[in-house]
Amino acid sequence: MALNLSLRLSLAHLAYALLIFLYCSSSSSSAVDLLQGSTNRRRPMILPLYLSSSKTTSSSSSDRIVADHNRRQLRNSPPPPNARMRLYDDLLSNGYYTTRLWIGTPPQEFALIVDTGSTVTYVPCSDCGHCGKHQDPRFQPELSSTYQPMKCSVTCNCDSNNAQCTYERRETGDLYTQRADGIMGLGRGRLSVMDQLVDKGVISDSFSLCYGGMDVGGGAMILGGISSPPDMVFTHSDPYRSPYYNIDLKAILVAGKQLKLKPSVFDGRHGTVLDSGTTYAYLPREAFLAFKSAVMKEIRSLKQIHGPDPNFNDICFSGAGREVSKLLEVFPQVDMVFNNGKKLSLSPENYLFRHTKVSGAYCLGIFQGDDATTLLGGIVVRNTLVTYDRENDKIGFWKTNCSELWKSLHYIDPSTPSPLPPKSQSTNVSIPPTVASGGLPHAPAPAPDGLLHTVFPGEFQIGLITFDMSLSINNSYMKPNITELTEFIAQELDVKASQVHLLSFNYKSNVSLFKWAIFPDESADYISNTTAMSIIQRLKEHRMQLPKKFGSYQLVELNVKPPVKPTWWKQNYWAVAVGALVTLVLGLSIFGALLIWRSRHTESSSYEPVNATVSDQELQPLQTSTGL
């Protein structure tokens, strides 16, 4: 089948003829042709990557290479126009990064996993019988004026009627269970988005990915070449070695000590492969055992504990504290040494993930693989700009703060609003009265000036997001179920139900006015910038899709406030409480000891002998009395 795909850019809307795939039945589908367009300027495109949850497992590392979504200051001269978008959330909390693509005319929006280990780009379409439930409605061919089936030819497999092309795709089951709509394949191959854009002269043969750090998220995907930072570390990538992006890894150092391994251990099967669709890293058995042993020798002060999931044999340690910036004081630095002698230094966040049930505990994010391939997933390159220079057969690594990458880009987008105000202020954004019908797909509302594309400064922390929402219910006798509505809002905003609080509620006739608040997770003091950006964008674009029974909703006002600085009393509550308790116990102890001492002293006094010596004057009255 044929349809169009448009890549939204900040300065211009450009579209190119590309080939992607649609799942339109449970067994087969057809290739699709994308919106025609051309340009003679090869400009880099910077796209957004979002995140959706996936918690499945694949049967082998070869499967993971294809699709493993289980646990998942830049310079350019001259600066060309470009699309400046960003990544959202944290890789390990959801499993993989996604980008937003608009397909069809008018465009239909989809979230696609960015996967360097896959070569095809695909989404499910409306008549697929076994494609699972995802975060966006399926592609509806009948709603696209540029859609047309790809007719049968000698270049493809044909259906039984020899009318149109068909194809088959085997996966591990992730396509059915994942929250994301599909996959954007950036691998090597003629069907890859990269290969098609390069063949059409749209971009140069290079792209870059930058994943944000632990608990922060964010980042960017750049399609096209960039001027490499002077201290970027490059290694050779042989396109003939395997169909995947491989690197020449020759040694690993833990705390400056090289593991006693032959270089050939990292060259088995597909070699050492970088795969953005894989969350963790997987080493051959010999390398994994050596790595685990070396790390454990360096952290003997920590206590080894069970992992958060009993279904996995995770290696975890407690007692390291919650501050990511201080992990290097407890865990060792790890270096990957390439064939040219250059090194890529990994901080603890590049090989650890947080224990979800024990505060201050971490688990190894590097596991033993199922075969001889060394597979490096997204965890290894967090806070690292990775440039896939396919034109020169090399891959570069540059340590940076990927969440703040935008501040270092030399691509300035004049349409991007100013950053948020200082901490002392709250941000109030009025929403235009655009109405979205519950349960039905709808076009995003035009974003008002304010937060939609705002880059939060690193020092700004968000403690509370509030928004006013009105619901129009057709049945005037039906009042919305608050608990159920809260759960749906939490699901649509991708937060926990416990974070969504109803502040006020007014009901009149068939219109309900709600004031909602989104609080930080129980384990956090503030909402991460990337999570807040995702929430705000979904609200402002009216992308919440509520069940039809809630009727249509209208967003009225949106507010963002910094965390309330705790008072001295709150900051020292436990110290004061412990001090008061100690004082009380000590006072009671002293008081008790005093009572015991006085009791014993009284008893001792009552048993003293009476003085038998009586003076004559004292006896005189007694004798007189007796005589009477």
Side-chain angles (χ1 to χ4, degrees):
M1 291 176 288
L3 60 92
N4 59 35
L5 177 148
S6 60
L7 302 178
R8 281 197 178 181
L9 305 183
S10 298
L11 301 183
H13 292 280
L14 304 179
Y16 309 101
L18 301 178
L19 183 68
I20 67 171
F21 292 86
L22 289 179
Y23 275 101
C24 291
S25 68
S26 59
S27 59
S28 65
S29 243
S30 307
V32 295
D33 191 21
L34 295 166
L35 181 65
Q36 298 292 327
S38 63
T39 178
N40 294 324
R41 301 179 64 183
R42 301 202 302 181
R43 64 187 80 190
M45 293 182 284
I46 307 176
L47 305 177
L49 301 184
Y50 303 78
L51 215 68
S52 294
S53 179
S54 178
K55 198 72 176 173
T56 57
T57 57
S58 9
S59 57
S60 67
S61 66
S62 60
D63 290 333
R64 282 192 293 266
I65 293 175
V66 176
D68 173 15
H69 317 300
N70 309 351
R71 322 243 249 183
R72 276 175 226 308
Q73 275 190 37
L74 192 60
R75 302 169 303 154
N76 194 323
S77 178
N82 64 88
R84 183 154 70 91
M85 307 178 188
R86 50 186 305 175
L87 296 164
Y88 292 86
D89 299 313
D90 184 281
L91 177 69
L92 299 185
S93 65
N94 294 324
Y96 44 74
Y97 282 109
T98 64
T99 189
R100 285 276 170 179
L101 292 184
W102 285 261
I103 303 176
T105 306
Q108 301 174 39
E109 187 179 11
F110 299 92
L112 304 184
I113 298 169
V114 175
D115 191 358
T116 60
S118 296
T119 57
V120 297
T121 297
Y122 55 81
V123 297
C125 60
S126 55
D127 63 348
C128 180
H130 192 71
C131 285
K133 184 178 180 181
H134 307 289
Q135 66 186 76
D136 295 297
R138 298 176 184 178
F139 178 75
Q140 302 180 65
E142 67 277 7
L143 298 183
S144 174
S145 61
T146 52
Y147 164 83
Q148 59 180 353
M150 177 172 280
K151 296 181 179 180
C152 182
S153 69
V154 294
T155 61
C156 70
N157 297 324
C158 299
D159 61 9
S160 57
N161 297 323
N162 290 325
Q164 71 179 56
C165 294
T166 64
Y167 71 94
E168 273 191 12
R169 182 73 175 174
R170 295 184 179 273
E171 297 287 344
T172 61
D174 293 321
L175 179 66
Y176 182 80
T177 59
Q178 69 196 21
R179 188 170 185 269
D181 302 310
I183 284 181
M184 180 179 182
L186 296 174
R188 290 188 173 115
R190 64 184 184 87
L191 298 180
S192 168
V193 168
M194 278 300 302
D195 284 70
Q196 295 186 66
L197 290 175
V198 171
D199 289 344
K200 296 179 183 301
V202 176
I203 59 174
S204 60
D205 199 3
S206 177
F207 69 94
S208 302
L209 295 174
C210 200
Y211 290 170
M214 184 183 291
D215 298 338
V216 180
M221 177 175 71
I222 306 169
L223 300 184
I226 59 174
S227 296
S228 304
D231 52 347
M232 177 171 269
V233 174
F234 284 96
T235 179
H236 178 65
S237 181
D238 186 358
Y240 305 103
R241 172 69 175 80
S242 74
Y244 310 109
Y245 294 109
N246 54 72
I247 58 177
D248 281 338
L249 180 62
K250 294 303 176 185
I252 294 179
L253 280 63
V254 176
K257 305 168 188 175
Q258 183 172 333
L259 302 183
K260 296 180 180 179
L261 298 168
K262 296 180 180 179
S264 59
V265 73
F266 303 110
D267 200 33
R269 201 178 180 198
H270 296 296
T272 298
V273 172
L274 285 178
D275 183 13
S276 66
T278 298
T279 306
Y280 299 111
Y282 301 85
L283 302 179
R285 184 176 185 275
E286 181 183 359
F288 169 72
L289 294 177
F291 174 79
K292 179 184 71 171
S293 176
V295 171
M296 293 181 70
K297 286 181 181 178
E298 299 294 328
I299 54 174
R300 292 177 179 173
S301 61
L302 301 182
K303 179 184 178 181
Q304 186 170 351
I305 61 175
H306 293 292
D309 191 338
N311 297 317
F312 296 94
N313 237 355
D314 292 330
I315 302 171
C316 305
F317 309 91
S318 64
R322 291 191 56 83
E323 290 293 327
V324 177
S325 60
K326 297 181 179 180
L327 288 181
L328 201 54
E329 299 175 6
V330 184
F331 291 93
Q333 177 176 302
V334 174
D335 297 297
M336 290 188 169
V337 183
F338 302 127
N339 194 36
N340 56 9
K342 300 292 182 65
K343 292 192 302 184
L344 170 64
S345 296
L346 306 181
S347 60
E349 70 173 349
N350 295 121
Y351 62 85
L352 297 174
F353 65 93
R354 278 196 189 278
H355 196 298
T356 56
K357 296 181 179 179
V358 180
S359 178
Y362 300 84
C363 307
L364 287 184
I366 296 182
F367 303 93
Q368 179 178 322
D370 295 332
D371 63 9
T373 299
T374 297
L375 185 60
L376 305 181
I379 188 174
V380 174
V381 290
R382 289 200 290 194
N383 272 339
T384 306
L385 176 67
V386 183
T387 295
Y388 297 77
D389 188 349
R390 300 165 15 133
E391 186 172 354
N392 297 301
D393 296 334
K394 61 182 182 179
I395 295 178
F397 303 88
W398 185 56
K399 299 293 290 185
T400 185
N401 185 344
C402 290
S403 304
E404 302 296 328
L405 180 65
W406 310 105
K407 294 182 179 179
S408 302
L409 287 172
H410 280 207
Y411 311 111
I412 304 301
D413 180 0
S415 66
T416 301
S418 302
L420 284 174
K423 288 186 180 181
S424 58
Q425 304 177 20
S426 65
T427 301
N428 186 315
V429 182
S430 296
I431 307 297
T434 302
V435 177
S437 300
L440 298 176
H442 49 271
D449 294 335
L451 294 175
L452 180 56
H453 299 292
T454 297
V455 179
F456 296 132
E459 65 275 6
F460 187 87
Q461 293 181 346
I462 298 172
L464 185 68
I465 299 174
T466 63
F467 61 95
D468 294 347
M469 179 181 76
S470 66
L471 282 178
S472 298
I473 304 175
N474 296 329
N475 186 347
S476 60
Y477 297 99
M478 175 183 170
K479 293 186 178 180
N481 184 312
I482 302 300
T483 302
E484 187 179 10
L485 182 57
T486 300
E487 293 175 351
F488 276 113
I489 290 176
Q491 179 180 336
E492 288 299 308
L493 298 182
D494 202 15
V495 296
K496 296 179 181 178
S498 60
Q499 294 178 248
V500 182
H501 293 237
L502 179 63
L503 300 182
S504 63
F505 169 62
N506 292 311
Y507 180 80
K508 184 177 181 180
S509 184
N510 62 338
V511 177
S512 302
L513 183 62
F514 301 84
K515 188 174 189 66
W516 299 95
I518 309 297
F519 286 84
D521 193 5
E522 297 174 355
S523 60
D525 296 325
Y526 58 89
I527 304 172
S528 70
N529 290 348
T530 49
T531 299
M533 177 66 74
S534 176
I535 293 172
I536 292 167
Q537 190 164 17
R538 294 183 191 196
L539 288 172
K540 294 181 66 176
E541 291 184 351
H542 296 269
R543 280 164 38 195
M544 281 201 309
Q545 296 183 23
L546 303 177
K548 291 182 180 179
K549 65 180 180 180
F550 291 114
S552 59
Y553 75 87
Q554 178 177 325
L555 203 60
V556 181
E557 188 173 295
L558 176 65
N559 294 277
V560 175
K561 298 180 180 179
V564 178
K565 187 175 181 180
T567 61
W568 182 92
W569 170 257
K570 288 186 177 181
Q571 287 180 321
N572 301 276
Y573 173 78
W574 283 109
V576 173
V578 171
L581 181 61
V582 171
T583 303
L584 179 61
V585 172
L586 185 60
L588 290 175
S589 300
I590 295 174
F591 182 69
L594 182 60
L595 287 178
I596 294 173
W597 178 82
R598 291 186 62 182
S599 174
R600 290 180 177 177
H601 180 72
T602 302
E603 291 177 0
S604 176
S605 300
S606 64
Y607 284 99
E608 289 183 2
V610 179
N611 190 354
T613 304
V614 182
S615 65
D616 292 339
Q617 293 179 350
E618 291 175 321
L619 288 175
Q620 184 66 34
L622 180 61
Q623 292 172 351
T624 304
S625 176
T626 305
L628 292 176

